[in-house]
Structures are given as C-alpha cells and as structure tokens.
Amino acid sequence: MTRLITVLLAASTDATRLHRVRPSDESLTAFAASIADRAINHDIHLARAPASGTPARSLRVIAMRVPLGHGRACWRRARRRLLSWEMHEGSTWSAVLVEDPPGRSLVTLAALPSPRLPLLWVSNPCRAVRRRVGRRRCSVGYSTLSGHLLEGEEKMDVVWSRETDEVAFEVVSHSRGAGPLGKLLFPALSSTQRRFFREQCRCMQRAAAGVQRVEPVWSSPRSAHPGHRLEAVAGVTR
C-alpha cells in the first residue's frame, strides 16, 4: 500500500492532483479556475459512436439507473439537484464542483482507495459540456481535460415517465486510460469509478425520495454502442 501511495503521489500533475487530506472548497475553486483553458483530451462522445480511430472495445462503459420516486414534486426536486450539479450533495467522500454554465471548468473529487480508508484524495480536471432541459427529461454531462489520467465523458439524466409517473436517475460513462500512466492504472480504477457513480445514485435517491435503501442498480443495454460490454452494478445501502 505504501508503494502504491508513493506511485500515485508521483503521478500528481498540474492537472490531476493527489492530496493527503481533503482539499478545501476554496482550493477546489482555485483549481477549477486554473484549468479553464485546458482542452478536452479525447474524441469520445456519448451521443454517437466513437471516431473510426477509437475501437469500441477499448472503452469501459458503465451505465446505472435508480428510481427516485413518483410525481411532479419528485421530478422538480430531482431536476433542481441535477441542473445545480448537486448529485453528490451529502456525500462525505466525493464531490463535483462546477462553474456553470456548460463550457466552464469542473472538478471531481474522491477519496482513495475507498471511503472507509481515505488515505488520499484525488481531484480531476473536467469541463461541463452538456445541459438539456425538457418537460420529461433533463441532463447534464462533462468531459475530461488534458492532464486527466482518464479520457471520457459522463452523462447524467433525470427522467419522468409519462406511462408510470416514475422519476428515475440515469448515469452513463464511457472512459479509457489517458497516456502511459493512465493506461497502466486504468484496470485498477474500475471499482473506484463504479463506487463514484453509485454514490451519485445514492445521493440523488436520498435527496429526491428520502429513502433508507438504494434499489439495485443495473446497466441499461440501450445505453451502449455495439461492441461495448456493460457492467451490472449491485445496489448499496446506507
């Protein structure tokens, strides 16, 4: 473990940063301002298949969906949370800080190697690139920037079903390692990514529905491009 921490600290750059203690909100805000001019580091787009030079099998696709409740009041609460980028509100070990509107820098924060053993904190450079508001569906999304150890996009939706009146939260992530170090570490980051997305689902479900238990979270086949292997993710409890 000591050797792994040494390697991770050495990997800390002027973009992806490793911290021995949780950085303050002021520090994260300053970090967000410092990455405003960085470029997106990939050609992955969730709205369409990757470019011909990007084999589909090279991407890790994670898709999750959880019910939030029913009715207009639930829809409004969930929509407000999503559009305010508060999908991690209430989490003790993860966060998203964004300078809205889309096109502005965004920072993700998570504890490593796990929430119960936060030996390090990692902050990553991203950019908000999506904001859609509809009568029954709204979504936001972000992309990784140069200097991030990963390349990819994440899209989050709140959907209000006309047929069942159910309100649900959906997450879709496409990613791969960036650069030699990112590609080396990428296989080991799978559980960290899943944990981060499950925390989004947990926080959104608690905020919108106020329940004690998060329902099982499963990947949706319709979220993937042909050739991608989706990963089913088990539910979690408080």
Side-chain angles (χ1 to χ4, degrees), residues 185-209:
L185 294 175
F186 186 60
L189 295 177
S190 176
S191 60
T192 300
Q193 288 181 287
R194 292 195 194 100
R195 190 161 49 239
F196 187 82
F197 301 141
R198 282 200 302 266
E199 184 72 349
Q200 287 183 353
C201 293
R202 177 190 289 112
C203 291
M204 285 293 291
Q205 196 168 44
R206 285 176 177 171

mmCIF file with all atom_site columns, all heavy atoms in Angstrom, residues 185-209:
data_model
loop_
_atom_site.group_PDB
_atom_site.id
_atom_site.type_symbol
_atom_site.label_atom_id
_atom_site.label_alt_id
_atom_site.label_comp_id
_atom_site.label_asym_id
_atom_site.label_entity_id
_atom_site.label_seq_id
_atom_site.pdbx_PDB_ins_code
_atom_site.Cartn_x
_atom_site.Cartn_y
_atom_site.Cartn_z
_atom_site.occupancy
_atom_site.B_iso_or_equiv
_atom_site.pdbx_formal_charge
_atom_site.auth_seq_id
_atom_site.auth_comp_id
_atom_site.auth_asym_id
_atom_site.auth_atom_id
_atom_site.pdbx_PDB_model_num
ATOM 1   N N   . LEU A 1 185 ? -2.808  2.379  -15.063 1.00 0.00 ? 185 LEU A N   1
ATOM 2   C CA  . LEU A 1 185 ? -3.657  2.369  -13.874 1.00 0.00 ? 185 LEU A CA  1
ATOM 3   C C   . LEU A 1 185 ? -5.115  2.055  -14.176 1.00 0.00 ? 185 LEU A C   1
ATOM 4   O O   . LEU A 1 185 ? -5.868  1.685  -13.266 1.00 0.00 ? 185 LEU A O   1
ATOM 5   C CB  . LEU A 1 185 ? -3.583  3.733  -13.174 1.00 0.00 ? 185 LEU A CB  1
ATOM 6   C CG  . LEU A 1 185 ? -2.242  4.132  -12.564 1.00 0.00 ? 185 LEU A CG  1
ATOM 7   C CD1 . LEU A 1 185 ? -2.316  5.553  -12.020 1.00 0.00 ? 185 LEU A CD1 1
ATOM 8   C CD2 . LEU A 1 185 ? -1.837  3.168  -11.464 1.00 0.00 ? 185 LEU A CD2 1
ATOM 9   N N   . PHE A 1 186 ? -5.530  2.188  -15.431 1.00 0.00 ? 186 PHE A N   1
ATOM 10  C CA  . PHE A 1 186 ? -6.945  2.091  -15.784 1.00 0.00 ? 186 PHE A CA  1
ATOM 11  C C   . PHE A 1 186 ? -7.622  0.812  -15.293 1.00 0.00 ? 186 PHE A C   1
ATOM 12  O O   . PHE A 1 186 ? -8.720  0.879  -14.721 1.00 0.00 ? 186 PHE A O   1
ATOM 13  C CB  . PHE A 1 186 ? -7.113  2.235  -17.296 1.00 0.00 ? 186 PHE A CB  1
ATOM 14  C CG  . PHE A 1 186 ? -8.549  2.296  -17.745 1.00 0.00 ? 186 PHE A CG  1
ATOM 15  C CD1 . PHE A 1 186 ? -9.388  3.301  -17.303 1.00 0.00 ? 186 PHE A CD1 1
ATOM 16  C CD2 . PHE A 1 186 ? -9.058  1.339  -18.610 1.00 0.00 ? 186 PHE A CD2 1
ATOM 17  C CE1 . PHE A 1 186 ? -10.716 3.364  -17.711 1.00 0.00 ? 186 PHE A CE1 1
ATOM 18  C CE2 . PHE A 1 186 ? -10.376 1.390  -19.028 1.00 0.00 ? 186 PHE A CE2 1
ATOM 19  C CZ  . PHE A 1 186 ? -11.207 2.402  -18.579 1.00 0.00 ? 186 PHE A CZ  1
ATOM 20  N N   . PRO A 1 187 ? -7.034  -0.379 -15.468 1.00 0.00 ? 187 PRO A N   1
ATOM 21  C CA  . PRO A 1 187 ? -7.722  -1.587 -14.981 1.00 0.00 ? 187 PRO A CA  1
ATOM 22  C C   . PRO A 1 187 ? -8.007  -1.551 -13.483 1.00 0.00 ? 187 PRO A C   1
ATOM 23  O O   . PRO A 1 187 ? -9.033  -2.061 -13.030 1.00 0.00 ? 187 PRO A O   1
ATOM 24  C CB  . PRO A 1 187 ? -6.732  -2.710 -15.339 1.00 0.00 ? 187 PRO A CB  1
ATOM 25  C CG  . PRO A 1 187 ? -5.954  -2.173 -16.490 1.00 0.00 ? 187 PRO A CG  1
ATOM 26  C CD  . PRO A 1 187 ? -5.794  -0.710 -16.198 1.00 0.00 ? 187 PRO A CD  1
ATOM 27  N N   . ALA A 1 188 ? -7.120  -0.932 -12.713 1.00 0.00 ? 188 ALA A N   1
ATOM 28  C CA  . ALA A 1 188 ? -7.289  -0.894 -11.258 1.00 0.00 ? 188 ALA A CA  1
ATOM 29  C C   . ALA A 1 188 ? -8.306  0.149  -10.815 1.00 0.00 ? 188 ALA A C   1
ATOM 30  O O   . ALA A 1 188 ? -8.723  0.158  -9.652  1.00 0.00 ? 188 ALA A O   1
ATOM 31  C CB  . ALA A 1 188 ? -5.944  -0.617 -10.590 1.00 0.00 ? 188 ALA A CB  1
ATOM 32  N N   . LEU A 1 189 ? -8.719  1.034  -11.730 1.00 0.00 ? 189 LEU A N   1
ATOM 33  C CA  . LEU A 1 189 ? -9.636  2.114  -11.365 1.00 0.00 ? 189 LEU A CA  1
ATOM 34  C C   . LEU A 1 189 ? -11.100 1.758  -11.580 1.00 0.00 ? 189 LEU A C   1
ATOM 35  O O   . LEU A 1 189 ? -11.980 2.578  -11.311 1.00 0.00 ? 189 LEU A O   1
ATOM 36  C CB  . LEU A 1 189 ? -9.302  3.373  -12.174 1.00 0.00 ? 189 LEU A CB  1
ATOM 37  C CG  . LEU A 1 189 ? -7.934  4.000  -11.894 1.00 0.00 ? 189 LEU A CG  1
ATOM 38  C CD1 . LEU A 1 189 ? -7.697  5.184  -12.820 1.00 0.00 ? 189 LEU A CD1 1
ATOM 39  C CD2 . LEU A 1 189 ? -7.833  4.432  -10.440 1.00 0.00 ? 189 LEU A CD2 1
ATOM 40  N N   . SER A 1 190 ? -11.369 0.555  -12.054 1.00 0.00 ? 190 SER A N   1
ATOM 41  C CA  . SER A 1 190 ? -12.749 0.160  -12.336 1.00 0.00 ? 190 SER A CA  1
ATOM 42  C C   . SER A 1 190 ? -13.638 0.261  -11.096 1.00 0.00 ? 190 SER A C   1
ATOM 43  O O   . SER A 1 190 ? -14.725 0.839  -11.136 1.00 0.00 ? 190 SER A O   1
ATOM 44  C CB  . SER A 1 190 ? -12.782 -1.267 -12.892 1.00 0.00 ? 190 SER A CB  1
ATOM 45  O OG  . SER A 1 190 ? -14.111 -1.700 -13.080 1.00 0.00 ? 190 SER A OG  1
ATOM 46  N N   . SER A 1 191 ? -13.183 -0.296 -9.980  1.00 0.00 ? 191 SER A N   1
ATOM 47  C CA  . SER A 1 191 ? -14.003 -0.269 -8.766  1.00 0.00 ? 191 SER A CA  1
ATOM 48  C C   . SER A 1 191 ? -14.173 1.153  -8.250  1.00 0.00 ? 191 SER A C   1
ATOM 49  O O   . SER A 1 191 ? -15.232 1.511  -7.715  1.00 0.00 ? 191 SER A O   1
ATOM 50  C CB  . SER A 1 191 ? -13.378 -1.152 -7.683  1.00 0.00 ? 191 SER A CB  1
ATOM 51  O OG  . SER A 1 191 ? -12.075 -0.703 -7.358  1.00 0.00 ? 191 SER A OG  1
ATOM 52  N N   . THR A 1 192 ? -13.151 1.990  -8.418  1.00 0.00 ? 192 THR A N   1
ATOM 53  C CA  . THR A 1 192 ? -13.248 3.384  -7.986  1.00 0.00 ? 192 THR A CA  1
ATOM 54  C C   . THR A 1 192 ? -14.302 4.126  -8.792  1.00 0.00 ? 192 THR A C   1
ATOM 55  O O   . THR A 1 192 ? -15.100 4.900  -8.244  1.00 0.00 ? 192 THR A O   1
ATOM 56  C CB  . THR A 1 192 ? -11.885 4.081  -8.147  1.00 0.00 ? 192 THR A CB  1
ATOM 57  O OG1 . THR A 1 192 ? -10.912 3.407  -7.353  1.00 0.00 ? 192 THR A OG1 1
ATOM 58  C CG2 . THR A 1 192 ? -11.969 5.540  -7.715  1.00 0.00 ? 192 THR A CG2 1
ATOM 59  N N   . GLN A 1 193 ? -14.329 3.895  -10.110 1.00 0.00 ? 193 GLN A N   1
ATOM 60  C CA  . GLN A 1 193 ? -15.338 4.535  -10.948 1.00 0.00 ? 193 GLN A CA  1
ATOM 61  C C   . GLN A 1 193 ? -16.741 4.092  -10.559 1.00 0.00 ? 193 GLN A C   1
ATOM 62  O O   . GLN A 1 193 ? -17.649 4.912  -10.413 1.00 0.00 ? 193 GLN A O   1
ATOM 63  C CB  . GLN A 1 193 ? -15.082 4.206  -12.418 1.00 0.00 ? 193 GLN A CB  1
ATOM 64  C CG  . GLN A 1 193 ? -13.873 4.900  -13.017 1.00 0.00 ? 193 GLN A CG  1
ATOM 65  C CD  . GLN A 1 193 ? -13.712 4.544  -14.483 1.00 0.00 ? 193 GLN A CD  1
ATOM 66  O OE1 . GLN A 1 193 ? -13.327 3.431  -14.829 1.00 0.00 ? 193 GLN A OE1 1
ATOM 67  N NE2 . GLN A 1 193 ? -14.017 5.488  -15.352 1.00 0.00 ? 193 GLN A NE2 1
ATOM 68  N N   . ARG A 1 194 ? -16.930 2.781  -10.403 1.00 0.00 ? 194 ARG A N   1
ATOM 69  C CA  . ARG A 1 194 ? -18.255 2.277  -10.037 1.00 0.00 ? 194 ARG A CA  1
ATOM 70  C C   . ARG A 1 194 ? -18.716 2.864  -8.704  1.00 0.00 ? 194 ARG A C   1
ATOM 71  O O   . ARG A 1 194 ? -19.876 3.236  -8.537  1.00 0.00 ? 194 ARG A O   1
ATOM 72  C CB  . ARG A 1 194 ? -18.229 0.753  -9.940  1.00 0.00 ? 194 ARG A CB  1
ATOM 73  C CG  . ARG A 1 194 ? -18.022 0.026  -11.244 1.00 0.00 ? 194 ARG A CG  1
ATOM 74  C CD  . ARG A 1 194 ? -18.387 -1.438 -11.054 1.00 0.00 ? 194 ARG A CD  1
ATOM 75  N NE  . ARG A 1 194 ? -17.905 -2.257 -12.143 1.00 0.00 ? 194 ARG A NE  1
ATOM 76  C CZ  . ARG A 1 194 ? -16.807 -2.991 -12.094 1.00 0.00 ? 194 ARG A CZ  1
ATOM 77  N NH1 . ARG A 1 194 ? -16.066 -2.997 -11.005 1.00 0.00 ? 194 ARG A NH1 1
ATOM 78  N NH2 . ARG A 1 194 ? -16.441 -3.722 -13.125 1.00 0.00 ? 194 ARG A NH2 1
ATOM 79  N N   . ARG A 1 195 ? -17.795 2.935  -7.756  1.00 0.00 ? 195 ARG A N   1
ATOM 80  C CA  . ARG A 1 195 ? -18.134 3.465  -6.436  1.00 0.00 ? 195 ARG A CA  1
ATOM 81  C C   . ARG A 1 195 ? -18.553 4.933  -6.536  1.00 0.00 ? 195 ARG A C   1
ATOM 82  O O   . ARG A 1 195 ? -19.503 5.374  -5.882  1.00 0.00 ? 195 ARG A O   1
ATOM 83  C CB  . ARG A 1 195 ? -16.929 3.303  -5.511  1.00 0.00 ? 195 ARG A CB  1
ATOM 84  C CG  . ARG A 1 195 ? -17.204 3.580  -4.057  1.00 0.00 ? 195 ARG A CG  1
ATOM 85  C CD  . ARG A 1 195 ? -16.137 2.968  -3.167  1.00 0.00 ? 195 ARG A CD  1
ATOM 86  N NE  . ARG A 1 195 ? -14.798 3.283  -3.612  1.00 0.00 ? 195 ARG A NE  1
ATOM 87  C CZ  . ARG A 1 195 ? -13.883 2.364  -3.956  1.00 0.00 ? 195 ARG A CZ  1
ATOM 88  N NH1 . ARG A 1 195 ? -14.174 1.079  -3.920  1.00 0.00 ? 195 ARG A NH1 1
ATOM 89  N NH2 . ARG A 1 195 ? -12.677 2.735  -4.328  1.00 0.00 ? 195 ARG A NH2 1
ATOM 90  N N   . PHE A 1 196 ? -17.859 5.699  -7.367  1.00 0.00 ? 196 PHE A N   1
ATOM 91  C CA  . PHE A 1 196 ? -18.175 7.116  -7.555  1.00 0.00 ? 196 PHE A CA  1
ATOM 92  C C   . PHE A 1 196 ? -19.576 7.281  -8.145  1.00 0.00 ? 196 PHE A C   1
ATOM 93  O O   . PHE A 1 196 ? -20.365 8.118  -7.691  1.00 0.00 ? 196 PHE A O   1
ATOM 94  C CB  . PHE A 1 196 ? -17.128 7.738  -8.479  1.00 0.00 ? 196 PHE A CB  1
ATOM 95  C CG  . PHE A 1 196 ? -17.235 9.226  -8.639  1.00 0.00 ? 196 PHE A CG  1
ATOM 96  C CD1 . PHE A 1 196 ? -16.701 10.086 -7.689  1.00 0.00 ? 196 PHE A CD1 1
ATOM 97  C CD2 . PHE A 1 196 ? -17.851 9.776  -9.756  1.00 0.00 ? 196 PHE A CD2 1
ATOM 98  C CE1 . PHE A 1 196 ? -16.785 11.465 -7.840  1.00 0.00 ? 196 PHE A CE1 1
ATOM 99  C CE2 . PHE A 1 196 ? -17.941 11.151 -9.918  1.00 0.00 ? 196 PHE A CE2 1
ATOM 100 C CZ  . PHE A 1 196 ? -17.406 11.998 -8.957  1.00 0.00 ? 196 PHE A CZ  1
ATOM 101 N N   . PHE A 1 197 ? -19.910 6.470  -9.149  1.00 0.00 ? 197 PHE A N   1
ATOM 102 C CA  . PHE A 1 197 ? -21.225 6.576  -9.789  1.00 0.00 ? 197 PHE A CA  1
ATOM 103 C C   . PHE A 1 197 ? -22.335 6.058  -8.873  1.00 0.00 ? 197 PHE A C   1
ATOM 104 O O   . PHE A 1 197 ? -23.444 6.594  -8.863  1.00 0.00 ? 197 PHE A O   1
ATOM 105 C CB  . PHE A 1 197 ? -21.228 5.820  -11.118 1.00 0.00 ? 197 PHE A CB  1
ATOM 106 C CG  . PHE A 1 197 ? -20.205 6.324  -12.096 1.00 0.00 ? 197 PHE A CG  1
ATOM 107 C CD1 . PHE A 1 197 ? -19.489 5.447  -12.900 1.00 0.00 ? 197 PHE A CD1 1
ATOM 108 C CD2 . PHE A 1 197 ? -19.942 7.677  -12.207 1.00 0.00 ? 197 PHE A CD2 1
ATOM 109 C CE1 . PHE A 1 197 ? -18.539 5.911  -13.792 1.00 0.00 ? 197 PHE A CE1 1
ATOM 110 C CE2 . PHE A 1 197 ? -18.991 8.156  -13.100 1.00 0.00 ? 197 PHE A CE2 1
ATOM 111 C CZ  . PHE A 1 197 ? -18.291 7.266  -13.896 1.00 0.00 ? 197 PHE A CZ  1
ATOM 112 N N   . ARG A 1 198 ? -22.052 5.012  -8.104  1.00 0.00 ? 198 ARG A N   1
ATOM 113 C CA  . ARG A 1 198 ? -23.045 4.534  -7.141  1.00 0.00 ? 198 ARG A CA  1
ATOM 114 C C   . ARG A 1 198 ? -23.351 5.607  -6.104  1.00 0.00 ? 198 ARG A C   1
ATOM 115 O O   . ARG A 1 198 ? -24.489 5.744  -5.656  1.00 0.00 ? 198 ARG A O   1
ATOM 116 C CB  . ARG A 1 198 ? -22.549 3.258  -6.440  1.00 0.00 ? 198 ARG A CB  1
ATOM 117 C CG  . ARG A 1 198 ? -22.666 2.003  -7.270  1.00 0.00 ? 198 ARG A CG  1
ATOM 118 C CD  . ARG A 1 198 ? -22.630 0.760  -6.388  1.00 0.00 ? 198 ARG A CD  1
ATOM 119 N NE  . ARG A 1 198 ? -21.415 0.664  -5.591  1.00 0.00 ? 198 ARG A NE  1
ATOM 120 C CZ  . ARG A 1 198 ? -20.332 -0.003 -5.963  1.00 0.00 ? 198 ARG A CZ  1
ATOM 121 N NH1 . ARG A 1 198 ? -20.294 -0.619 -7.131  1.00 0.00 ? 198 ARG A NH1 1
ATOM 122 N NH2 . ARG A 1 198 ? -19.275 -0.059 -5.175  1.00 0.00 ? 198 ARG A NH2 1
ATOM 123 N N   . GLU A 1 199 ? -22.322 6.365  -5.731  1.00 0.00 ? 199 GLU A N   1
ATOM 124 C CA  . GLU A 1 199 ? -22.541 7.431  -4.757  1.00 0.00 ? 199 GLU A CA  1
ATOM 125 C C   . GLU A 1 199 ? -23.444 8.515  -5.336  1.00 0.00 ? 199 GLU A C   1
ATOM 126 O O   . GLU A 1 199 ? -24.279 9.091  -4.625  1.00 0.00 ? 199 GLU A O   1
ATOM 127 C CB  . GLU A 1 199 ? -21.197 8.027  -4.321  1.00 0.00 ? 199 GLU A CB  1
ATOM 128 C CG  . GLU A 1 199 ? -21.297 9.075  -3.229  1.00 0.00 ? 199 GLU A CG  1
ATOM 129 C CD  . GLU A 1 199 ? -21.634 8.498  -1.860  1.00 0.00 ? 199 GLU A CD  1
ATOM 130 O OE1 . GLU A 1 199 ? -21.992 7.298  -1.779  1.00 0.00 ? 199 GLU A OE1 1
ATOM 131 O OE2 . GLU A 1 199 ? -21.548 9.238  -0.871  1.00 0.00 ? 199 GLU A OE2 1
ATOM 132 N N   . GLN A 1 200 ? -23.295 8.807  -6.626  1.00 0.00 ? 200 GLN A N   1
ATOM 133 C CA  . GLN A 1 200 ? -24.218 9.736  -7.279  1.00 0.00 ? 200 GLN A CA  1
ATOM 134 C C   . GLN A 1 200 ? -25.647 9.236  -7.153  1.00 0.00 ? 200 GLN A C   1
ATOM 135 O O   . GLN A 1 200 ? -26.560 9.996  -6.793  1.00 0.00 ? 200 GLN A O   1
ATOM 136 C CB  . GLN A 1 200 ? -23.868 9.882  -8.762  1.00 0.00 ? 200 GLN A CB  1
ATOM 137 C CG  . GLN A 1 200 ? -22.631 10.680 -9.055  1.00 0.00 ? 200 GLN A CG  1
ATOM 138 C CD  . GLN A 1 200 ? -22.398 10.837 -10.546 1.00 0.00 ? 200 GLN A CD  1
ATOM 139 O OE1 . GLN A 1 200 ? -23.102 10.242 -11.361 1.00 0.00 ? 200 GLN A OE1 1
ATOM 140 N NE2 . GLN A 1 200 ? -21.411 11.631 -10.905 1.00 0.00 ? 200 GLN A NE2 1
ATOM 141 N N   . CYS A 1 201 ? -25.835 7.959  -7.467  1.00 0.00 ? 201 CYS A N   1
ATOM 142 C CA  . CYS A 1 201 ? -27.178 7.375  -7.396  1.00 0.00 ? 201 CYS A CA  1
ATOM 143 C C   . CYS A 1 201 ? -27.720 7.435  -5.978  1.00 0.00 ? 201 CYS A C   1
ATOM 144 O O   . CYS A 1 201 ? -28.891 7.776  -5.754  1.00 0.00 ? 201 CYS A O   1
ATOM 145 C CB  . CYS A 1 201 ? -27.144 5.928  -7.886  1.00 0.00 ? 201 CYS A CB  1
ATOM 146 S SG  . CYS A 1 201 ? -26.775 5.735  -9.645  1.00 0.00 ? 201 CYS A SG  1
ATOM 147 N N   . ARG A 1 202 ? -26.884 7.098  -5.010  1.00 0.00 ? 202 ARG A N   1
ATOM 148 C CA  . ARG A 1 202 ? -27.308 7.106  -3.610  1.00 0.00 ? 202 ARG A CA  1
ATOM 149 C C   . ARG A 1 202 ? -27.724 8.513  -3.174  1.00 0.00 ? 202 ARG A C   1
ATOM 150 O O   . ARG A 1 202 ? -28.782 8.696  -2.564  1.00 0.00 ? 202 ARG A O   1
ATOM 151 C CB  . ARG A 1 202 ? -26.171 6.600  -2.725  1.00 0.00 ? 202 ARG A CB  1
ATOM 152 C CG  . ARG A 1 202 ? -26.499 6.647  -1.239  1.00 0.00 ? 202 ARG A CG  1
ATOM 153 C CD  . ARG A 1 202 ? -25.289 6.377  -0.374  1.00 0.00 ? 202 ARG A CD  1
ATOM 154 N NE  . ARG A 1 202 ? -24.868 4.991  -0.444  1.00 0.00 ? 202 ARG A NE  1
ATOM 155 C CZ  . ARG A 1 202 ? -23.739 4.569  -0.989  1.00 0.00 ? 202 ARG A CZ  1
ATOM 156 N NH1 . ARG A 1 202 ? -22.916 5.444  -1.545  1.00 0.00 ? 202 ARG A NH1 1
ATOM 157 N NH2 . ARG A 1 202 ? -23.424 3.298  -0.982  1.00 0.00 ? 202 ARG A NH2 1
ATOM 158 N N   . CYS A 1 203 ? -26.901 9.494  -3.488  1.00 0.00 ? 203 CYS A N   1
ATOM 159 C CA  . CYS A 1 203 ? -27.201 10.864 -3.062  1.00 0.00 ? 203 CYS A CA  1
ATOM 160 C C   . CYS A 1 203 ? -28.452 11.406 -3.749  1.00 0.00 ? 203 CYS A C   1
ATOM 161 O O   . CYS A 1 203 ? -29.275 12.081 -3.117  1.00 0.00 ? 203 CYS A O   1
ATOM 162 C CB  . CYS A 1 203 ? -26.003 11.771 -3.346  1.00 0.00 ? 203 CYS A CB  1
ATOM 163 S SG  . CYS A 1 203 ? -24.558 11.437 -2.313  1.00 0.00 ? 203 CYS A SG  1
ATOM 164 N N   . MET A 1 204 ? -28.609 11.123 -5.039  1.00 0.00 ? 204 MET A N   1
ATOM 165 C CA  . MET A 1 204 ? -29.794 11.588 -5.748  1.00 0.00 ? 204 MET A CA  1
ATOM 166 C C   . MET A 1 204 ? -31.051 10.918 -5.214  1.00 0.00 ? 204 MET A C   1
ATOM 167 O O   . MET A 1 204 ? -32.100 11.553 -5.064  1.00 0.00 ? 204 MET A O   1
ATOM 168 C CB  . MET A 1 204 ? -29.645 11.316 -7.246  1.00 0.00 ? 204 MET A CB  1
ATOM 169 C CG  . MET A 1 204 ? -28.701 12.265 -7.961  1.00 0.00 ? 204 MET A CG  1
ATOM 170 S SD  . MET A 1 204 ? -29.315 13.971 -8.018  1.00 0.00 ? 204 MET A SD  1
ATOM 171 C CE  . MET A 1 204 ? -30.710 13.792 -9.138  1.00 0.00 ? 204 MET A CE  1
ATOM 172 N N   . GLN A 1 205 ? -30.957 9.641  -4.904  1.00 0.00 ? 205 GLN A N   1
ATOM 173 C CA  . GLN A 1 205 ? -32.133 8.929  -4.415  1.00 0.00 ? 205 GLN A CA  1
ATOM 174 C C   . GLN A 1 205 ? -32.530 9.416  -3.025  1.00 0.00 ? 205 GLN A C   1
ATOM 175 O O   . GLN A 1 205 ? -33.708 9.601  -2.732  1.00 0.00 ? 205 GLN A O   1
ATOM 176 C CB  . GLN A 1 205 ? -31.877 7.422  -4.407  1.00 0.00 ? 205 GLN A CB  1
ATOM 177 C CG  . GLN A 1 205 ? -33.150 6.601  -4.298  1.00 0.00 ? 205 GLN A CG  1
ATOM 178 C CD  . GLN A 1 205 ? -32.916 5.147  -4.574  1.00 0.00 ? 205 GLN A CD  1
ATOM 179 O OE1 . GLN A 1 205 ? -31.940 4.574  -4.095  1.00 0.00 ? 205 GLN A OE1 1
ATOM 180 N NE2 . GLN A 1 205 ? -33.798 4.527  -5.330  1.00 0.00 ? 205 GLN A NE2 1
ATOM 181 N N   . ARG A 1 206 ? -31.547 9.628  -2.173  1.00 0.00 ? 206 ARG A N   1
ATOM 182 C CA  . ARG A 1 206 ? -31.852 10.147 -0.845  1.00 0.00 ? 206 ARG A CA  1
ATOM 183 C C   . ARG A 1 206 ? -32.480 11.531 -0.927  1.00 0.00 ? 206 ARG A C   1
ATOM 184 O O   . ARG A 1 206 ? -33.446 11.840 -0.228  1.00 0.00 ? 206 ARG A O   1
ATOM 185 C CB  . ARG A 1 206 ? -30.577 10.219 -0.008  1.00 0.00 ? 206 ARG A CB  1
ATOM 186 C CG  . ARG A 1 206 ? -30.070 8.883  0.491   1.00 0.00 ? 206 ARG A CG  1
ATOM 187 C CD  . ARG A 1 206 ? -28.762 9.076  1.222   1.00 0.00 ? 206 ARG A CD  1
ATOM 188 N NE  . ARG A 1 206 ? -28.259 7.833  1.773   1.00 0.00 ? 206 ARG A NE  1
ATOM 189 C CZ  . ARG A 1 206 ? -27.062 7.696  2.314   1.00 0.00 ? 206 ARG A CZ  1
ATOM 190 N NH1 . ARG A 1 206 ? -26.245 8.732  2.368   1.00 0.00 ? 206 ARG A NH1 1
ATOM 191 N NH2 . ARG A 1 206 ? -26.668 6.537  2.798   1.00 0.00 ? 206 ARG A NH2 1
ATOM 192 N N   . ALA A 1 207 ? -31.912 12.383 -1.774  1.00 0.00 ? 207 ALA A N   1
ATOM 193 C CA  . ALA A 1 207 ? -32.396 13.758 -1.870  1.00 0.00 ? 207 ALA A CA  1
ATOM 194 C C   . ALA A 1 207 ? -33.805 13.825 -2.441  1.00 0.00 ? 207 ALA A C   1
ATOM 195 O O   . ALA A 1 207 ? -34.653 14.582 -1.961  1.00 0.00 ? 207 ALA A O   1
ATOM 196 C CB  . ALA A 1 207 ? -31.448 14.582 -2.739  1.00 0.00 ? 207 ALA A CB  1
ATOM 197 N N   . ALA A 1 208 ? -34.069 13.027 -3.475  1.00 0.00 ? 208 ALA A N   1
ATOM 198 C CA  . ALA A 1 208 ? -35.352 13.112 -4.168  1.00 0.00 ? 208 ALA A CA  1
ATOM 199 C C   . ALA A 1 208 ? -36.459 12.331 -3.484  1.00 0.00 ? 208 ALA A C   1
ATOM 200 O O   . ALA A 1 208 ? -37.614 12.751 -3.484  1.00 0.00 ? 208 ALA A O   1
ATOM 201 C CB  . ALA A 1 208 ? -35.200 12.620 -5.609  1.00 0.00 ? 208 ALA A CB  1
ATOM 202 N N   . ALA A 1 209 ? -36.094 11.178 -2.894  1.00 0.00 ? 209 ALA A N   1
ATOM 203 C CA  . ALA A 1 209 ? -37.123 10.302 -2.347  1.00 0.00 ? 209 ALA A CA  1
ATOM 204 C C   . ALA A 1 209 ? -37.037 10.121 -0.842  1.00 0.00 ? 209 ALA A C   1
ATOM 205 O O   . ALA A 1 209 ? -37.989 9.642  -0.226  1.00 0.00 ? 209 ALA A O   1
ATOM 206 C CB  . ALA A 1 209 ? -37.053 8.936  -3.037  1.00 0.00 ? 209 ALA A CB  1
#
